[in-house]
mmCIF file of all heavy atoms in Angstrom:
data_model
loop_
_atom_site.group_PDB
_atom_site.id
_atom_site.type_symbol
_atom_site.label_atom_id
_atom_site.label_comp_id
_atom_site.label_asym_id
_atom_site.label_seq_id
_atom_site.Cartn_x
_atom_site.Cartn_y
_atom_site.Cartn_z
ATOM 1 N N ALA A 34 3.626 -10.303 250.546
ATOM 2 C CA ALA A 34 2.963 -9.915 251.784
ATOM 3 C C ALA A 34 3.822 -8.872 252.492
ATOM 4 O O ALA A 34 5.055 -8.886 252.394
ATOM 5 C CB ALA A 34 2.754 -11.135 252.675
ATOM 6 N N THR A 72 -11.070 2.381 244.214
ATOM 7 C CA THR A 72 -11.453 2.129 242.821
ATOM 8 C C THR A 72 -12.961 2.192 242.660
ATOM 9 O O THR A 72 -13.471 2.749 241.672
ATOM 10 C CB THR A 72 -10.932 0.753 242.371
ATOM 11 O OG1 THR A 72 -9.528 0.681 242.601
ATOM 12 C CG2 THR A 72 -11.203 0.535 240.896
ATOM 13 N N LEU A 96 -9.444 -14.821 227.472
ATOM 14 C CA LEU A 96 -8.084 -15.021 227.970
ATOM 15 C C LEU A 96 -7.996 -16.258 228.856
ATOM 16 O O LEU A 96 -6.973 -16.958 228.860
ATOM 17 C CB LEU A 96 -7.617 -13.783 228.736
ATOM 18 C CG LEU A 96 -7.325 -12.542 227.882
ATOM 19 C CD1 LEU A 96 -6.996 -11.352 228.772
ATOM 20 C CD2 LEU A 96 -6.180 -12.810 226.908
ATOM 21 N N GLY A 162 -20.604 -2.400 246.542
ATOM 22 C CA GLY A 162 -19.340 -1.751 246.870
ATOM 23 C C GLY A 162 -18.180 -2.712 246.826
ATOM 24 O O GLY A 162 -17.779 -3.182 245.759
ATOM 25 N N VAL A 223 -5.776 -11.948 247.814
ATOM 26 C CA VAL A 223 -4.946 -12.036 249.018
ATOM 27 C C VAL A 223 -4.857 -13.494 249.463
ATOM 28 O O VAL A 223 -5.704 -13.988 250.189
ATOM 29 C CB VAL A 223 -5.497 -11.142 250.157
ATOM 30 C CG1 VAL A 223 -5.197 -9.692 249.874
ATOM 31 C CG2 VAL A 223 -6.985 -11.341 250.357
ATOM 32 N N GLU A 228 -7.480 -18.281 259.052
ATOM 33 C CA GLU A 228 -7.561 -17.629 260.361
ATOM 34 C C GLU A 228 -6.796 -16.307 260.393
ATOM 35 O O GLU A 228 -6.907 -15.552 261.372
ATOM 36 C CB GLU A 228 -7.031 -18.556 261.452
ATOM 37 C CG GLU A 228 -5.596 -18.982 261.294
ATOM 38 C CD GLU A 228 -5.409 -20.263 260.507
ATOM 39 O OE1 GLU A 228 -6.291 -20.585 259.682
ATOM 40 O OE2 GLU A 228 -4.384 -20.951 260.711
ATOM 41 N N GLY A 231 -8.339 -14.601 255.870
ATOM 42 C CA GLY A 231 -9.785 -14.773 255.730
ATOM 43 C C GLY A 231 -10.561 -14.105 256.844
ATOM 44 O O GLY A 231 -11.556 -13.406 256.600
ATOM 45 N N GLY A 272 -21.987 -26.789 253.629
ATOM 46 C CA GLY A 272 -21.875 -28.226 253.468
ATOM 47 C C GLY A 272 -23.128 -28.905 252.953
ATOM 48 O O GLY A 272 -24.190 -28.304 252.807
ATOM 49 N N TRP A 294 -20.990 -41.876 239.940
ATOM 50 C CA TRP A 294 -20.314 -40.654 239.493
ATOM 51 C C TRP A 294 -20.611 -39.493 240.436
ATOM 52 O O TRP A 294 -19.767 -38.599 240.623
ATOM 53 C CB TRP A 294 -20.719 -40.306 238.064
ATOM 54 C CG TRP A 294 -19.977 -41.132 237.055
ATOM 55 C CD1 TRP A 294 -20.454 -42.186 236.338
ATOM 56 C CD2 TRP A 294 -18.607 -41.000 236.680
ATOM 57 N NE1 TRP A 294 -19.468 -42.711 235.540
ATOM 58 C CE2 TRP A 294 -18.328 -42.000 235.720
ATOM 59 C CE3 TRP A 294 -17.587 -40.136 237.062
ATOM 60 C CZ2 TRP A 294 -17.074 -42.152 235.135
ATOM 61 C CZ3 TRP A 294 -16.325 -40.281 236.480
ATOM 62 C CH2 TRP A 294 -16.085 -41.280 235.535
ATOM 63 N N THR A 303 -16.983 -32.701 246.753
ATOM 64 C CA THR A 303 -17.999 -31.865 246.117
ATOM 65 C C THR A 303 -19.078 -31.597 247.157
ATOM 66 O O THR A 303 -19.559 -32.532 247.803
ATOM 67 C CB THR A 303 -18.604 -32.575 244.895
ATOM 68 O OG1 THR A 303 -17.565 -32.853 243.946
ATOM 69 C CG2 THR A 303 -19.668 -31.722 244.229
ATOM 70 N N LEU A 320 -28.507 -53.079 243.736
ATOM 71 C CA LEU A 320 -27.996 -51.725 243.511
ATOM 72 C C LEU A 320 -26.529 -51.624 243.905
ATOM 73 O O LEU A 320 -25.710 -51.050 243.154
ATOM 74 C CB LEU A 320 -28.822 -50.713 244.302
ATOM 75 C CG LEU A 320 -28.379 -49.251 244.156
ATOM 76 C CD1 LEU A 320 -28.557 -48.778 242.719
ATOM 77 C CD2 LEU A 320 -29.157 -48.341 245.111
ATOM 78 N N GLY A 334 -6.124 -42.851 240.008
ATOM 79 C CA GLY A 334 -4.733 -42.891 239.580
ATOM 80 C C GLY A 334 -4.012 -41.571 239.708
ATOM 81 O O GLY A 334 -4.524 -40.594 240.276
ATOM 82 N N GLU A 338 -1.793 -38.613 234.653
ATOM 83 C CA GLU A 338 -2.107 -39.659 233.679
ATOM 84 C C GLU A 338 -3.428 -39.280 232.998
ATOM 85 O O GLU A 338 -4.466 -39.143 233.657
ATOM 86 C CB GLU A 338 -2.247 -41.004 234.384
ATOM 87 C CG GLU A 338 -2.583 -42.156 233.468
ATOM 88 C CD GLU A 338 -1.486 -42.415 232.455
ATOM 89 O OE1 GLU A 338 -0.349 -42.685 232.870
ATOM 90 O OE2 GLU A 338 -1.790 -42.334 231.241
ATOM 91 N N SER A 340 -5.679 -40.801 231.472
ATOM 92 C CA SER A 340 -6.818 -41.708 231.641
ATOM 93 C C SER A 340 -7.373 -41.717 233.062
ATOM 94 O O SER A 340 -8.424 -42.328 233.314
ATOM 95 C CB SER A 340 -6.410 -43.134 231.257
ATOM 96 O OG SER A 340 -5.361 -43.604 232.105
ATOM 97 N N HIS A 351 -6.807 -34.207 255.583
ATOM 98 C CA HIS A 351 -8.131 -34.545 255.077
ATOM 99 C C HIS A 351 -8.222 -36.031 254.743
ATOM 100 O O HIS A 351 -9.249 -36.672 255.000
ATOM 101 C CB HIS A 351 -8.473 -33.698 253.858
ATOM 102 C CG HIS A 351 -9.883 -33.895 253.377
ATOM 103 N ND1 HIS A 351 -10.977 -33.645 254.160
ATOM 104 C CD2 HIS A 351 -10.365 -34.350 252.190
ATOM 105 C CE1 HIS A 351 -12.084 -33.914 253.492
ATOM 106 N NE2 HIS A 351 -11.734 -34.353 252.296
ATOM 107 N N VAL A 363 -17.329 -48.513 260.484
ATOM 108 C CA VAL A 363 -17.187 -49.954 260.735
ATOM 109 C C VAL A 363 -17.363 -50.257 262.226
ATOM 110 O O VAL A 363 -18.053 -51.212 262.606
ATOM 111 C CB VAL A 363 -15.829 -50.451 260.216
ATOM 112 C CG1 VAL A 363 -15.582 -51.898 260.639
ATOM 113 C CG2 VAL A 363 -15.766 -50.332 258.691
ATOM 114 N N GLY A 406 -15.404 -36.961 250.876
ATOM 115 C CA GLY A 406 -14.485 -37.887 250.246
ATOM 116 C C GLY A 406 -15.272 -38.954 249.510
ATOM 117 O O GLY A 406 -16.521 -38.933 249.500
ATOM 118 N N TYR A 429 -28.420 -30.521 256.777
ATOM 119 C CA TYR A 429 -28.108 -29.976 255.461
ATOM 120 C C TYR A 429 -29.321 -30.037 254.530
ATOM 121 O O TYR A 429 -30.241 -30.820 254.745
ATOM 122 C CB TYR A 429 -26.949 -30.743 254.830
ATOM 123 C CG TYR A 429 -25.689 -30.741 255.654
ATOM 124 C CD1 TYR A 429 -25.220 -31.904 256.260
ATOM 125 C CD2 TYR A 429 -24.954 -29.575 255.830
ATOM 126 C CE1 TYR A 429 -24.054 -31.907 257.014
ATOM 127 C CE2 TYR A 429 -23.790 -29.562 256.588
ATOM 128 C CZ TYR A 429 -23.351 -30.729 257.179
ATOM 129 O OH TYR A 429 -22.203 -30.723 257.922
ATOM 130 N N PRO A 483 -29.418 -15.901 236.653
ATOM 131 C CA PRO A 483 -29.665 -14.476 236.892
ATOM 132 C C PRO A 483 -29.930 -14.152 238.360
ATOM 133 O O PRO A 483 -29.700 -13.030 238.802
ATOM 134 C CB PRO A 483 -30.911 -14.186 236.030
ATOM 135 C CG PRO A 483 -30.880 -15.221 234.966
ATOM 136 C CD PRO A 483 -30.317 -16.450 235.608
ATOM 137 N N HIS A 484 -30.395 -15.138 239.136
ATOM 138 C CA HIS A 484 -30.700 -14.880 240.545
ATOM 139 C C HIS A 484 -29.460 -14.510 241.341
ATOM 140 O O HIS A 484 -29.556 -13.822 242.370
ATOM 141 C CB HIS A 484 -31.381 -16.101 241.163
ATOM 142 C CG HIS A 484 -32.692 -16.435 240.540
ATOM 143 N ND1 HIS A 484 -33.838 -15.723 240.791
ATOM 144 C CD2 HIS A 484 -33.042 -17.396 239.647
ATOM 145 C CE1 HIS A 484 -34.843 -16.229 240.102
ATOM 146 N NE2 HIS A 484 -34.381 -17.243 239.395
#
Side-chain angles (χ1 to χ4, degrees):
T72 306
L96 289 175
V223 285
E228 60 269 25
W294 280 104
T303 300
L320 180 64
E338 180 63 59
S340 62
H351 186 60
V363 172
Y429 302 111
H484 297 284

